[in-house]
Amino acid sequence: ITYQIISSTNVILEIYDPLGRLVERKSFDKNIGKYNYDFISNNLSSGIYFVRMKTNYANNFIKILLIK
């Protein structure tokens, strides 16, 4: 998962399954820049998942497709 930060902030990254259950939650303090998060999905099945990224200035959702 690639994301870009426009000002120093705390980033909360949450991944949900199609039923809305929280699968993973990570929190980072990040400075300005572009970052990658490697989502380890060993215990998950193929399908659609939703990623929520919260910062001090934004709240974004994206849909991802996990193919194994």
Side-chain angles (χ1 to χ4, degrees):
I1 301 171
T2 301
Y3 59 96
Q4 187 168 350
I5 301 299
I6 60 172
S7 67
S8 297
T9 186
N10 179 262
V11 176
I12 298 173
L13 192 67
E14 298 173 332
I15 301 173
Y16 294 90
D17 69 8
L19 298 176
R21 296 178 294 211
L22 183 63
V23 173
E24 186 168 336
R25 184 179 194 274
K26 298 289 181 182
S27 180
F28 315 98
D29 287 322
K30 295 290 185 182
N31 292 318
I32 296 170
K34 191 171 184 177
Y35 297 94
N36 290 315
Y37 175 73
D38 294 328
F39 175 47
I40 307 300
S41 60
N42 294 339
N43 59 343
L44 299 175
S45 59
S46 295
I48 295 173
Y49 291 85
F50 300 92
V51 179
R52 178 182 185 190
M53 188 180 88
K54 296 191 312 184
T55 66
N56 294 341
Y57 54 84
N59 188 17
N60 296 312
F61 278 91
I62 61 168
K63 182 170 52 173
I64 59 173
L65 179 60
L66 176 63
I67 300 174
K68 290 191 169 189

